[in-house]
Amino acid sequence: MARRPAPGGATARRRWSSPALRRVALATALTLSGVVLAACSGGDTSGAPQLTWYINNQGQQPLAEACNEQAEGAYEIETSLLPTAAAGQREQLLRRLAAGDQTVDILSLDPPFMAEFANAEFLRPFTDEEREEFSEGVLDGPLEQSVFDDTMFSAPFYGNTQLLWYKKSVAEEAGLDPESEPVTWDQVIEAAEATGTTIGVQGRRDESLMVWVNALVESAGGSILSEESEGRPADEVQATIRDEAGQEAARIMSTIASSSVAPPGLSTAGEEESRAAFQADDGGFMVNWPYVWTAFEAAAKTGAVDEGFRDDVGWARYPQVVEGEASATPLGGIGLSVGAYSANPDAAVEAIRCLRSPESQKEYMLTVGDPGAAGEIYDDPEVQEAFPMYEAIREGLTDAAPRPISAFYGDVTGAIQQGYHPPDRLSADSTPQATADFIEAVLRNEKML
Amino acid sequence: MSTTVPAAAGEVREEVPRADGRRQDDRPRRMTDRARKERNLGWLLVGPAFIVMLAVTAYPIANAAWYSLFDFRLTDPDARSFVGLGNYMTILTDILFWRQFGVTAAITVVTVAVEFVLGFALALVMHRALYLRKSVRTAILVPYGIITVVSAYAWQYAFTPAYGFVNPLFGSDLDWFGGTIPSLVVICLSEIWKTTPFMSLLLLAGLAQIPSTYIEAAKVDGATAWQRFRKVIVPNMKGAIMVALLFRTLDAFRIFDNVFIMTQGANGTETLSFLAYRQTITRVMIGLGSAVSVILAILVFLIAFMFIKGFKVNLAEQRGS
Amino acid sequence: MSADRKGQVFWIVGAVVIIAYALIPVAWIVSLSFKAGDDITNQRFWPTDWSWENYQIVFESDLFTSALRNSVGISLIATFISVVLAMFAAYAVARLEFPGKKLLLSLALAITVFPIIAIATPLFNLWRTVGLYDTWLGLIIPYLSFSLPLSVYVLSAFFREIPWEMEQAAQVDGATPLQAFRKVIVPLAAPGVFTAAILTFFAIWNDFIFGITLTSSEAARPVPAALAFFSGASQFSQPTAPIAAASVIVTIPVVILVLLFQQKIVAGLTNGAVKG
């Protein structure tokens, strides 16, 4: 290869000496400052033990502040916000706990994920005394989903349940009275068809779909996984969704999705889309969480709906699948857990004691709108006024059926979401069987998800 | 041809073998002192870079290969068990893998083909335009330098029905992210937009080294522009073309950022890299995910190998000359 | 002469089209960043009212400002180390003969084509046991691994072009070895080093996979990963416009570098790839 003199020669030299030096100096300065920044740990060494609470809703932060005041130096809670979607929250917490993160003191944990974390020993179990304390007065539903392997890993904070919402005018027209006697899904479908209205259901392929499927299956008397599957290793888990209950679920879902009662975009609709469909002129029925009650009010203020919209809205218990058999209401909520690697577990338990207290729950319910897990707050007149459907909520939380409590919940919900979506293409004959087989194959590592 | 050719400083002397195959001076070869010093200095200078490169890639890959032999779920560490090639069987017999292999291959073929044509066009314009040359080069470096994630967001937002400008512009109301093909189209567009400049610069370099006499001669012979292109330009750029195609193909096959940001793999747009990510990070099936990673690495090397053999161009020649 | 001019017009139109091609998506993201609140659904390219609101949101968020700090710091440190190590290696490759040279270059080539996801996941495991998870060092090390091959190739190509005998010539003229090196070689090598630094910086600044798998908090999360984790002002709102604003902020250094050093970058890319 020919070697030729550098272009420019002397000019090249002059062009690059001082600017080059300046650049080198700048780069060095920046690098050094970078190194200093990296070395800076910025730890707090003041008196009260620092606790970090990973919250899933910004509205939980005022509770932390209130408890900090009460604590008088026993602890100081700092909040850190997790992503909005449940799956994102799981991923974030999972990664941190897998890395042995000591700053994870308190977590707002979505109950279905509790079993997975507990099984992986990422959570500090509550002692028997603590369990007794945190169970007192708590409604059945939230309590059931905070226990795994006969140990409590999550202190129930708030529970959530879905109700059947309907426009009173529409129900009247259809000759249906959900308030006085429970209705079945088939009746609701019939009523909507007769009046030319829609049923707002969440058909989007995420956790909300799983909630719907689980509620339908449990209401039909079955379950997605067999009863004994809870503590079993992955290859011994049995999926019972292939039975009759799963078939009923598929039938109802496909009937709604492929008929005129389906709102547009059903297969990508979440809670907000369902609410929008219900608020539309042709909305007739909806299943959704109680937060919508305050949301209707806000919508009336911005003009999205008429002033008197809320007066026409009625609520009732979640629809039955089998006539005469009480429905298994959907269950959501959040529990407070202590991270297994926390540097201050005792302080964390102390903090949780304050955060999940009935007063704290009531405050949260009134500000954010998520129903508390303690039964007594439903007797409070303030709560009763803000939530006229308090009786239905309390009932719903008591009779609720949690989603499968399984250490492999992530895979189970993924498999269900794949099998039971899109809702308009389900078949009662093939879908439940195929999905059950799929769940088992995935857990036995014979198929990928 | 004799051994009396003076060697350059530090080079080991090239010896011509005798007829019977043995060396001229039948003594064991010894490096000159200088040669040894040069060798040691060479190793010393190259050492740190070499070690860093090797350590940071060799260990994780060996680790991945090891874990791929286990059925290992991070949140269930007690149930970890050795399954040998079991994970590979699961993957290769699962239609999900083949489907995503197809998607990845389709994206690769489409993007590389479009980028090649577009890149060539860009290179020709930059080569021939007398004015605005500097502006063009500056402009096309922006897509090159922009973060892939930013490009993904820009294209995604442009095509989202709620706030994009594409639908109103063409008066359509297609839900671009509601189905497989439309989503893939947008993903490909973002990928193509961002990396065509790189391709065009490589091709431009190849174009620039074609002696203008060849082209002049062809013009004099009466060849049309297309004929000049086919018979003079392309054959003389073989090296540049091969390098450009090779690197872009390998890059496209490993696509991840655009898919993650735009669709999160929904609607059948998941690619092999994303599959590996999801199995390992989301499902925390470390063993299975590692197996997918290993398979992906093998595929990439296979493609590179086929390319190099197929084009029959000596890479070393391209480099050291 | 007029045929030639017609030809030139054709090429110039082409040039304009290319400039538009390159800049329209950038203009779009800029325009989005100035749309406040519901304006993003105005179904038009430009905002109806230009507003700085999104930039405010972005700078008030802890997530973004810390990500920016992380990215700048980590990228600069990694670039610096990478270029220094590569300089030594490239010098050896360009000037010295030693066994293993080909092996080194083949290894470098093999690393550039490697799927990063294959390394990211074992590193996640390793870092969490060793304690480097979610730290600057935990990102700098992998960044070195994939930026070194690039730096080595680019610098090797540049260093091969340097007339090393000028150093000897300077010494013959009476300079000490150090002076010869400083006054002759360094200015000749500087452009190449600089270009290698810029290209390496771009590559590291752009990383996404390591950013999302090896971090989980503001302690080390770089900008591309942070963009993916942005949540909106309220629980249900889509953070589209703030993400656009953040994107613009993060693109500004790129644009500045490109404007200032376009020639060097092009030289580096073409040199390093075709001949290197």
Side-chain angles (χ1 to χ4, degrees):
Chain A
M1 196 177 87
R3 304 254 171 103
R4 41 176 171 65
T11 354
R13 247 179 308 197
R14 241 177 292 139
R15 218 193 298 151
W16 293 115
S17 50
S18 16
L21 266 170
R22 254 188 274 134
R23 269 188 224 109
V24 169
L26 178 64
T28 318
L30 281 169
T31 308
L32 281 174
S33 50
V35 171
V36 168
L37 275 171
C40 263
S41 52
D44 193 312
T45 48
S46 63
Q50 281 276 3
L51 298 174
T52 314
W53 179 19
Y54 285 85
I55 58 177
N56 69 324
N57 186 319
Q58 196 58 42
Q60 289 162 11
Q61 205 218 351
L63 301 181
E65 284 163 18
C67 282
N68 282 341
E69 268 177 47
Q70 265 189 39
E72 292 168 0
Y75 52 76
E76 190 162 328
I77 310 174
E78 222 183 86
T79 59
S80 179
L81 187 59
L82 291 166
T84 5
Q89 294 159 19
R90 168 185 168 273
E91 214 170 290
Q92 282 301 296
L93 290 171
L94 189 72
R95 269 201 259 157
R96 285 172 173 274
L97 289 167
D101 194 338
Q102 284 193 318
T103 70
V104 180
D105 300 302
I106 310 174
L107 351 102
S108 289
L109 192 56
D110 208 346
F113 304 141
M114 181 267 302
E116 180 181 12
F117 281 42
N119 190 50
E121 291 172 22
F122 289 162
L123 303 176
R124 171 205 177 280
F126 290 115
T127 65
D128 287 333
E129 293 151 355
E130 288 160 357
R131 174 177 175 175
E132 220 180 287
E133 188 191 335
F134 295 147
S135 309
E136 218 181 290
V138 172
L139 300 168
D140 290 340
L143 189 56
E144 199 180 331
Q145 62 183 7
S146 52
V147 173
F148 173 71
D149 205 14
D150 204 24
T151 320
M152 176 182 267
F153 285 95
S154 228
F157 175 42
Y158 71 83
N160 216 345
T161 186
Q162 285 198 350
L163 305 174
L164 172 68
W165 306 84
Y166 60 93
K167 287 185 180 159
K168 293 184 192 154
S169 45
V170 170
E172 219 181 292
E173 199 187 316
L176 215 58
D177 192 5
E179 214 173 329
S180 51
E181 41 173 278
V183 293
T184 66
W185 279 98
D186 291 316
Q187 286 175 319
V188 174
I189 296 173
E190 229 176 87
E193 258 170 4
T195 54
T197 53
T198 62
I199 308 178
V201 276
Q202 292 95 53
R204 182 163 61 195
R205 189 179 155 169
D206 65 5
E207 199 60 23
S208 8
L209 183 70
M210 175 65 163
V211 166
W212 190 19
V213 172
N214 189 59
L216 289 173
V217 170
E218 296 270 345
S219 298
S223 56
I224 294 179
L225 300 178
S226 74
E227 299 259 323
E228 314 83 44
S229 293
E230 185 174 319
R232 290 297 194 71
D235 51 359
E236 288 176 30
V237 169
Q238 289 207 331
T240 45
I241 196 172
R242 59 171 58 88
D243 300 336
E244 228 180 274
Q247 293 167 7
E248 267 301 288
R251 181 186 68 79
I252 293 177
M253 289 171 73
S254 62
T255 310
I256 294 181
S258 42
S259 73
S260 60
V261 308
L266 175 72
S267 58
T268 50
E271 285 84 353
E272 280 291 270
E273 285 78 6
S274 298
R275 180 170 72 90
F278 183 67
Q279 285 173 186
D281 288 327
D282 64 347
F285 301 86
M286 170 177 73
V287 286
N288 217 327
W289 316 91
Y291 86 95
V292 295
W293 185 247
T294 14
F296 289 149
E297 186 74 0
K301 290 213 178 73
T302 62
V305 292
D306 300 326
E307 271 289 326
F309 179 77
R310 232 163 53 153
D311 299 325
D312 191 31
V313 173
W315 55 81
R317 183 170 166 143
Y318 200 76
Q320 301 175 338
V321 170
V322 179
E323 181 148 11
E325 213 170 290
S327 60
T329 51
L331 187 59
I334 285 286
L336 300 174
S337 301
V338 179
Y341 308 102
S342 161
N344 302 300
D346 298 319
V349 174
E350 192 60 40
I352 288 183
R353 198 166 272 134
C354 167
L355 291 169
R356 53 75 57 192
S357 66
E359 297 81 48
S360 193
Q361 289 184 26
K362 173 182 151 182
E363 190 57 38
Y364 192 66
M365 187 166 175
L366 291 175
T367 47
V368 174
D370 287 323
E376 66 185 69
I377 60 177
Y378 294 95
D379 297 325
D380 188 305
E382 266 181 81
V383 170
Q384 292 185 348
E385 201 191 311
F387 291 89
M389 71 290 304
Y390 68 91
E391 195 53 56
I393 299 178
R394 174 159 54 187
E395 191 188 48
L397 286 179
T398 313
D399 296 337
R403 283 161 273 168
I405 300 180
S406 163
F408 316 108
Y409 181 77
D411 285 350
V412 173
T413 186
I416 296 274
Q417 289 174 34
Q418 191 166 316
Y420 274 69
H421 191 273
D424 56 335
R425 289 210 231 123
L426 305 182
S427 133
D429 298 318
S430 54
T431 307
Q433 180 69 39
T435 309
D437 288 339
F438 188 52
I439 293 177
E440 287 172 359
V442 165
L443 288 178
R444 282 164 185 62
N445 205 13
E446 286 159 16
K447 274 192 155 272
M448 291 190 291
L449 185 54
Chain B
M1 278 281 282
S2 76
T3 51
T4 55
V5 172
E11 269 179 27
V12 175
R13 203 171 287 194
E14 189 77 57
E15 290 187 356
V16 178
R18 302 199 307 218
D20 61 355
R22 292 164 68 191
R23 294 207 210 93
Q24 289 285 6
D25 54 354
D26 208 358
R27 272 180 300 137
R29 270 195 197 209
R30 249 182 44 226
M31 275 182 149
T32 62
D33 263 338
R34 197 193 252 152
R36 195 185 302 125
K37 260 169 116 181
E38 192 167 319
R39 180 198 70 185
N40 292 342
L41 179 63
W43 283 355
L44 182 68
L45 289 178
V46 153
F50 189 77
I51 292 175
V52 172
M53 282 198 285
L54 197 61
V56 188
T57 42
Y59 177 79
I61 249 310
N63 198 284
W66 174 245
Y67 276 136
S68 72
L69 303 174
F70 288 82
D71 182 358
F72 178 25
R73 184 191 291 262
L74 193 65
T75 50
D76 201 12
D78 299 326
R80 184 173 120 166
S81 63
F82 181 80
V83 290
L85 295 178
N87 285 325
Y88 293 95
M89 285 307 296
T90 304
I91 297 170
L92 294 173
T93 53
D94 196 334
I95 192 160
L96 185 69
F97 171 77
W98 293 106
R99 181 144 197 273
Q100 297 186 359
F101 179 73
V103 169
T104 312
I107 292 181
T108 304
V109 168
V110 167
T111 52
V112 173
V114 174
E115 284 168 21
F116 185 66
V117 170
L118 256 179
F120 229 121
L122 253 72
L124 284 171
V125 169
M126 287 195 283
H127 190 57
R128 301 289 299 277
L130 288 177
Y131 306 102
L132 288 182
R133 199 179 274 185
K134 210 163 144 210
S135 316
V136 172
R137 282 197 215 200
T138 313
I140 66 164
L141 281 182
V142 173
Y144 168 75
I146 227 179
I147 299 181
T148 313
V149 169
V150 168
S151 163
Y153 274 123
W155 284 91
Q156 179 193 25
Y157 292 154
F159 280 81
T160 310
Y163 27 77
F165 70 88
V166 171
N167 273 350
L169 190 63
F170 295 110
S172 96
D173 60 356
L174 176 61
D175 183 7
W176 289 90
F177 292 104
T180 309
I181 302 283
S183 309
L184 285 177
V185 166
V186 183
I187 290 176
C188 287
L189 280 175
S190 170
E191 188 79 1
I192 292 171
W193 175 79
K194 181 167 177 349
T195 50
T196 301
F198 180 68
M199 177 85 98
S200 70
L201 286 176
L202 295 185
L203 294 175
L204 178 65
L207 259 180
Q209 45 176 25
I210 302 178
S212 52
T213 48
Y214 288 18
I215 307 189
E216 290 306 319
K219 265 199 207 157
V220 161
D221 282 348
T224 66
W226 178 246
Q227 282 174 323
R228 287 202 306 271
F229 183 75
R230 238 176 29 125
K231 301 235 152 116
V232 178
I233 294 183
V234 173
N236 278 301
M237 284 179 59
K238 242 183 123 182
I241 293 181
M242 196 220 95
V243 169
L245 284 180
L246 173 63
F247 280 113
R248 265 314 302 157
T249 304
L250 296 175
D251 265 344
F253 200 74
R254 299 175 285 166
I255 184 176
F256 182 85
D257 302 13
N258 277 314
V259 174
F260 186 98
I261 295 293
M262 290 204 205
T263 61
Q264 279 270 316
N267 286 324
T269 54
E270 193 166 278
T271 60
L272 288 179
S273 284
F274 204 83
L275 180 68
Y277 172 81
R278 216 162 44 76
Q279 301 303 314
T280 330
I281 301 293
T282 314
R283 280 190 73 203
V284 282
M285 294 288 286
I286 306 283
L288 193 61
S290 300
V292 178
S293 298
V294 170
I295 292 181
L296 182 58
I298 292 178
L299 281 175
V300 167
F301 278 119
L302 253 166
I303 295 180
F305 187 71
M306 289 195 314
F307 239 96
I308 295 179
K309 280 281 179 262
F311 266 78
K312 295 197 188 66
V313 176
N314 193 343
L315 252 188
E317 228 172 66
Q318 285 304 305
R319 288 206 322 255
S321 65
Chain C
M1 197 53 187
S2 92
D4 213 15
R5 193 169 296 165
K6 234 197 329 193
Q8 270 306 307
V9 168
F10 174 69
W11 293 116
I12 291 178
V13 166
V16 171
V17 167
I18 294 177
I19 296 180
Y21 155 92
L23 296 182
I24 286 186
V26 181
W28 165 242
I29 202 96
V30 169
S31 139
L32 255 188
S33 71
F34 285 108
K35 291 187 183 180
D38 275 332
D39 203 17
I40 56 174
T41 52
N42 74 345
Q43 302 286 302
R44 284 168 52 220
F45 192 91
W46 297 109
T48 29
D49 280 305
W50 295 70
S51 137
W52 289 97
E53 180 181 301
N54 298 310
Y55 289 93
Q56 261 181 314
I57 295 180
V58 161
F59 275 116
E60 277 165 18
S61 101
D62 226 4
L63 171 67
F64 185 70
T65 41
S66 59
L68 205 51
R69 189 179 51 221
N70 291 334
S71 262
V72 170
I74 295 176
S75 302
L76 285 178
I77 296 177
T79 303
F80 180 72
I81 300 178
S82 178
V83 169
V84 165
L85 289 183
M87 268 200 306
F88 295 141
Y91 179 84
V93 165
R95 290 212 67 193
L96 308 173
E97 273 302 321
F98 54 93
K101 186 150 77 154
K102 231 173 160 187
L103 179 63
L104 171 78
L105 292 172
S106 309
L107 176 68
L109 191 63
I111 292 181
T112 40
V113 307
F114 213 75
I116 288 193
I117 194 75
I119 319 182
T121 47
L123 270 184
F124 164 66
N125 241 347
L126 178 62
W127 276 184
R128 71 181 183 99
T129 18
V130 164
L132 278 179
Y133 183 72
D134 211 21
T135 59
W136 278 29
L137 192 58
L139 276 180
I140 291 176
I141 295 178
Y143 285 168
L144 285 180
S145 84
F146 78 67
S147 65
L148 268 174
L150 176 66
S151 312
V152 166
Y153 263 100
V154 172
L155 282 173
S156 301
F158 271 101
F159 282 5
R160 249 186 234 120
E161 306 268 334
I162 294 181
W164 298 97
E165 57 268 12
M166 283 184 71
E167 183 185 14
Q168 280 171 324
Q171 287 184 302
V172 162
D173 280 351
T176 68
L178 190 60
Q179 277 177 329
F181 186 76
R182 221 161 43 93
K183 298 222 149 132
V184 177
I185 297 301
V186 168
L188 289 176
V193 169
F194 201 69
T195 306
I198 296 181
L199 292 179
T200 306
F201 183 81
F202 275 172
I204 295 178
W205 186 252
N206 188 40
D207 162 76
F208 183 58
I209 295 186
F210 284 131
I212 54 173
T213 46
L214 299 180
T215 68
S216 63
S217 78
E218 294 87 51
R221 189 181 286 142
V223 165
L227 282 178
F229 283 114
F230 233 77
S231 48
S234 87
Q235 198 178 13
F236 291 115
S237 71
Q238 265 283 35
T240 309
I243 288 183
S247 303
V248 169
I249 295 172
V250 134
T251 307
I252 292 178
V254 168
V255 171
I256 294 179
L257 281 175
V258 161
L259 278 175
L260 291 178
F261 303 116
Q262 162 258 116
Q263 213 174 3
K264 310 237 155 332
I265 299 176
V266 172
L269 280 177
T270 53
N271 242 343
V274 176
K275 306 234 289 284

